[in-house]
Amino acid sequence: MQNRIRGLENANSIFLLDKERGQYWSEIKTELEKCSSQREYNELLQFENRDLEIRETKTKCYTLVREIVLKEPLLMENKKYETPESAIELFCEETRTDLEKEDAERLGLHSGQIDEEELKIYRKVAQDINSNRDKSFFFKKILGHFDKGGSS
């Protein structure tokens, strides 16, 4: 887990919440040390692993979007967002909010299940953008091509 966090730090992931290098791992380690039972430790470790996997997959999506935009800057013209960072951050926020809203309406999912659904979405997004590049539905959705005021 520590090496995976270092990978995100080395990639300057925008999904580490502006934490200083080493701070994210330090906080996890401290919380793990506070666990009073093996069960609590395992549950926290499972949660942190899932959270880290979501951050890694969101970072992959962002990296792909940014790579495409750097090669074709005109793709950002006349769009809702000024930067790929703001576009992907809002997409991720809206994705999580939609899942939580859906959960509230169904009253069926627990946080871990919402996380799994979120992870599935980001994996699908990364795969679609990786395969279809700037023709990707998700690439266009992230940049706001389908929003009112965005061009197609």
Side-chain angles (χ1 to χ4, degrees):
M1 185 177 282
Q2 184 178 12
N3 287 335
R4 291 168 57 205
I5 292 169
R6 278 193 196 127
L8 289 176
E9 289 172 340
N10 291 339
N12 294 315
S13 175
I14 61 174
F15 298 105
L16 286 178
L17 309 175
D18 297 327
K19 294 185 186 279
E20 295 294 322
R21 186 172 289 276
Q23 183 182 357
Y24 184 58
W25 171 244
S26 178
E27 290 173 3
I28 291 172
K29 205 167 63 170
T30 299
E31 289 303 311
L32 287 169
E33 290 168 355
K34 290 180 185 176
C35 292
S36 60
S37 69
Q38 187 65 44
R39 181 173 184 244
E40 183 182 350
Y41 181 92
N42 290 343
E43 287 173 356
L44 180 59
L45 192 60
Q46 183 179 23
F47 169 81
E48 292 296 349
N49 187 54
R50 188 174 52 243
D51 181 67
L52 181 56
E53 193 171 0
I54 290 169
R55 291 173 195 269
E56 289 169 325
T57 308
K58 288 175 8 178
T59 298
K60 174 69 173 170
C61 293
Y62 165 69
T63 301
L64 289 166
V65 168
R66 185 172 180 272
E67 177 183 293
I68 294 166
V69 169
L70 285 174
K71 288 181 182 175
E72 295 289 335
L74 293 178
L75 293 169
M76 287 297 294
E77 281 192 6
N78 301 319
K79 298 300 173 251
K80 182 176 172 180
Y81 310 103
E82 290 185 26
T83 66
E85 291 90 350
S86 59
I88 195 79
E89 286 174 334
L90 184 59
F91 174 80
C92 291
E93 286 172 21
E94 289 174 347
T95 298
R96 182 67 186 202
T97 299
D98 289 348
L99 286 170
E100 289 173 348
K101 183 179 175 187
E102 183 179 315
D103 177 48
E105 291 170 3
R106 289 190 309 188
L107 299 175
L109 295 178
H110 300 316
S111 177
Q113 291 170 308
I114 291 173
D115 291 348
E116 289 298 326
E117 290 300 313
E118 185 179 21
L119 186 56
K120 283 182 198 175
I121 290 168
Y122 298 139
R123 285 178 179 152
K124 185 176 179 179
V125 168
Q127 181 181 16
D128 182 51
I129 295 173
N130 193 44
S131 297
N132 300 307
R133 311 303 291 172
D134 64 324
K135 306 291 187 252
S136 158
F137 168 80
F138 288 109
F139 176 81
K140 292 177 181 180
K141 181 174 175 59
I142 289 167
L143 292 187
H145 289 227
F146 306 124
D147 297 344
K148 290 181 180 178
S151 60
S152 303

